[in-house]
């Protein structure tokens, strides 16, 4: 599991918001180049790593494994006369979680440190204390005295911004950091390609772009690959901490990978029964812990993939991750390892 943790740390600490995934793509390529037959980048920026099967080409099925490379982040919108920077959110933020955090602005002259500032509590009025934090209330301070200093630092409109957080160890093989959604999925993708020999089928491991802003990369890459079926690897919300009604589900950290039955109340993916049964049967047969999810909330790249071309049978396997879309996401390295093992065992002898 140490190698799994090291890979996750490298990916989590790197930065790549939606549409600016180049750093993550480089890591993904570097980690997989020695264990695949071909790597290419498509026009939208998806990274596609291929390990060809042992059977004759005309008889081989194509399997697509997808995990998105992008993280939610920020982008510079406006620089005021005094050097304070206004921004927009890229992806699904709960804006109060940004208050008083440290950030990195990825400008043309290299990374610049900054903080998201606010009025100190000492001078807040009673009315201000009751107000919910809005995006327009937030700004970035890099220490500049005016707009010219900001521009001279290589910051302009459109500069991407990420949270300045590094991966840290917690108890019980758990870690905390940013962008575990979905650098955990990428870690599974990499580790899977390391562990398997050439199978009967062709494996297309895809790091997709712009999932957090519309499942965009999954749409174009699945159209190009046209796989016989696909598995998406992502993260999902456990119900094992205060503040969440346990009646919503029984998903917990350390209880293994989560097999999706349906998400977004069916507006996203309703997984085919044959894929659900296949994954459950493998997990039971190989004694791999697993959980099942029927969710009302978000969705994944599977929503785009399963509607590509004439339709592609698609499943989702997720890693339970607390506090998703915040700077302090938490997951278990054991769950990542078990997710890899489930996919390895499932694809060793697949007939869908």
């Amino acid at each position: 599991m140490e190698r799994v943790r090291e890979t996750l740390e490298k990916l989590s600490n790197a930065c790549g918001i939606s549409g600016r995934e180049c750093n993550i793509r480089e890591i993904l390529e570097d980690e997989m180049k020695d264990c695949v037959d071909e790597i290419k980048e498509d026009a939208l920026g998806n990274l596609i790593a291929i390990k060809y099967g042992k059977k004759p080409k005309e008889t081989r099925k194509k399997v697509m494994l997808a995990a998105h490379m992008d993280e939610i982040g920020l982008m510079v919108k406006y620089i005021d006369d005094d050097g304070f920077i206004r921004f927009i959110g890229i992806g699904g933020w709960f804006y109060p979680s940004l208050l008083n955090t440290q950030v990195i602005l990825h400008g043309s002259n290299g990374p610049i440190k900054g903080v998201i500032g606010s009025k100190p509590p000492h001078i807040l009025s009673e009315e201000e204390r009751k107000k919910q934090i809005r995006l327009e209330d937030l700004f970035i301070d890099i220490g500049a005295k005016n707009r010219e200093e900001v521009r001279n630092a290589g910051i302009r409109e459109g500069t991407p911004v990420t949270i300045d957080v590094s991966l840290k160890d917690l108890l019980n093989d758990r870690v905390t950091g940013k962008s575990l959604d979905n650098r955990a999925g990428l870690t599974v993708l990499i580790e899977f390609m390391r562990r398997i020999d050439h199978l009967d089928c062709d494996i297309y491991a895809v790091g997709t772009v712009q999932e957090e802003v519309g499942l965009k990369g999954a749409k174009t890459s699945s159209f190009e690959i046209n796989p016989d079926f696909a598995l998406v690897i992502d993260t999902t919300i456990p119900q094992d901490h205060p503040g969440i009604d346990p009646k919503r589900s029984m998903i917990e950290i350390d209880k293994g990978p989560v097999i999706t039955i349906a998400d977004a109340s069916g507006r996203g993916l309703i997984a085919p029964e044959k894929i659900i049964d296949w994954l459950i049967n493998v997990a039971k047969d190989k004694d791999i812990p697993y959980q099942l999810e029927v969710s009302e909330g978000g969705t994944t790249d599977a929503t785009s993939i399963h509607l590509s071309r004439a339709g592609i049978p698609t499943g989702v396997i997720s890693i339970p991750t607390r506090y998703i879309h915040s700077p302090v996401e938490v997951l278990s390295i054991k769950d990542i390892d078990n997710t890899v093992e489930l996919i390895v065992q499932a694809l060793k002898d697949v007939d869908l």
Side-chain angles (χ1 to χ4, degrees):
M1 288 200 304
E2 184 58 32
R3 185 173 69 178
V4 170
R5 190 213 168 279
E6 289 174 358
T7 302
L8 178 64
E9 181 175 29
K10 188 180 297 185
L11 288 162
S12 174
N13 290 353
C15 299
I17 71 169
S18 304
R20 299 291 183 269
E21 299 93 348
C22 58
N23 291 334
I24 311 305
R25 187 164 49 244
E26 289 172 4
I27 294 172
L28 197 59
E29 180 173 3
D30 187 60
E31 294 293 324
M32 290 199 293
K33 65 184 179 184
D34 294 331
C35 57
V36 300
D37 298 314
E38 182 182 351
I39 296 181
K40 58 185 179 179
E41 178 186 339
D42 70 13
L44 204 63
N46 300 295
L47 186 79
I48 303 171
I50 310 168
K51 184 173 280 193
Y52 293 110
K54 297 179 294 185
K55 284 186 173 183
K57 183 176 181 179
E58 61 273 10
T59 66
R60 295 196 305 257
K61 288 189 175 183
K62 292 191 290 185
V63 180
M64 178 178 177
L65 303 178
H68 69 87
M69 295 187 290
D70 57 321
E71 65 189 283
I72 62 171
L74 314 170
M75 184 174 283
V76 173
K77 179 180 180 180
Y78 175 77
I79 305 164
D80 71 20
D81 293 340
D82 296 321
F84 294 105
I85 299 164
R86 302 287 179 169
F87 57 87
I88 63 168
I90 300 293
W93 282 105
F94 178 56
Y95 292 117
S97 70
L98 288 171
L99 194 61
N100 306 131
T101 56
Q102 298 182 45
V103 295
I104 303 174
L105 296 89
H106 302 274
S108 58
N109 297 341
I112 298 293
K113 303 280 188 172
V115 298
I116 297 180
S118 67
K119 292 170 69 173
H122 313 70
I123 59 173
L124 288 175
S125 68
E126 194 62 34
E127 183 178 340
E128 287 174 320
R129 289 173 184 269
K130 295 177 182 178
K131 284 173 56 179
Q132 182 171 330
I133 298 296
R134 302 170 300 170
L135 181 61
E136 52 265 38
D137 298 323
L138 304 175
F139 56 88
I140 297 172
D141 183 352
I142 64 168
K145 296 179 180 179
N146 52 55
R147 181 185 291 122
E148 184 179 5
E149 285 191 356
V150 176
R151 295 204 184 280
N152 289 341
I155 308 302
R156 61 169 177 79
E157 292 81 358
T159 293
V161 183
T162 55
I163 304 301
D164 188 5
V165 171
S166 59
L167 193 79
K168 294 179 176 63
D169 291 308
L170 302 178
L171 298 177
N172 298 310
D173 292 312
R174 298 173 181 184
V175 295
T176 182
K178 72 167 185 65
S179 65
L180 301 184
D181 172 16
N182 188 30
R183 307 291 156 72
L186 293 177
T187 301
V188 170
L189 208 62
I190 292 166
E191 188 63 20
F192 170 81
M193 297 302 264
R194 286 170 174 162
R195 292 187 192 181
I196 61 162
D197 295 322
H198 288 81
L199 304 175
D200 289 339
C201 55
D202 294 336
I203 303 294
Y204 289 75
V206 185
T208 64
V209 297
Q210 300 189 51
E211 188 266 2
E212 297 288 5
V213 290
L215 317 177
K216 298 174 185 177
K219 183 179 297 185
T220 59
S221 58
S222 60
F223 187 92
E224 176 186 355
I225 296 167
N226 191 24
D228 292 283
F229 67 93
L231 289 176
V232 169
I233 308 144
D234 211 314
T235 58
T236 193
I237 302 168
Q239 317 299 329
D240 59 356
H241 62 84
I244 298 185
D245 185 349
K247 299 189 196 70
R248 290 190 58 185
S249 80
M250 298 176 67
I251 294 170
E252 298 180 36
I253 283 182
D254 286 329
K255 294 295 180 68
V258 179
I259 300 167
T260 295
I261 297 173
D263 64 26
S265 297
R267 297 184 302 275
L269 175 77
I270 301 175
E273 288 185 314
K274 63 181 180 179
I275 286 184
I276 296 168
D277 292 342
W278 164 55
L279 294 172
I280 290 174
N281 289 335
V282 169
K284 288 180 177 179
D285 184 57
K286 301 301 181 181
D287 200 25
I288 300 169
Y290 72 94
Q291 306 176 79
L292 299 176
E293 178 175 45
V294 176
S295 80
E296 305 165 67
T299 190
T300 70
D301 275 338
T303 292
S304 282
I305 293 170
H306 88 286
L307 295 177
S308 185
R309 290 185 177 260
I312 297 168
T314 306
V316 179
I317 304 176
S318 298
I319 300 101
T321 305
R322 292 174 179 168
Y323 327 125
I324 285 176
H325 285 206
S326 83
V328 292
E329 297 173 346
V330 171
L331 56 70
S332 165
I333 299 297
K334 295 174 186 174
D335 284 333
I336 294 181
D337 196 62
N338 278 318
T339 301
V340 177
E341 188 61 19
L342 175 57
I343 299 172
V344 167
Q345 296 300 331
L347 290 181
K348 277 185 176 179
D349 186 23
V350 63
D351 186 24
L352 289 177

